[in-house]
Amino acid sequence: MGLFSIVLLVVVVLAIVGLGWKIFSSGVLSGFEKVINVGQPLVKNLTDQAKKYVNSPTTGITN
């Protein structure tokens, strides 16, 4: 894990040096917004399914 962290840090530093801080940070924020926009419908769908499951009457249970 330590080697992976060092390699990741070196790659990020080289990307910042090569692109510049402003372009690098705007690219990271743009990617973050895309992930959030894709994830919202998925979370909403899962929430709706959970609500349906909880609110549905239990069937097949015998006393």
Side-chain angles (χ1 to χ4, degrees):
M1 184 68 182
L3 181 62
F4 178 74
S5 299
I6 293 171
V7 170
L8 184 64
L9 181 64
V10 168
V11 168
V12 169
V13 169
L14 289 175
I16 292 171
V17 169
L19 295 172
W21 173 251
K22 195 170 191 177
I23 294 173
F24 178 78
S25 62
S26 70
V28 169
L29 289 176
S30 174
F32 182 72
E33 288 174 0
K34 287 180 183 179
V35 168
I36 293 297
N37 289 337
V38 169
Q40 283 178 339
L42 178 63
V43 171
K44 184 175 181 338
N45 187 19
L46 290 175
T47 304
D48 292 341
Q49 287 179 359
K51 285 180 183 177
K52 287 179 186 176
Y53 179 75
V54 170
N55 292 331
S56 66
T58 55
T59 56
I61 298 176
T62 58
N63 292 333

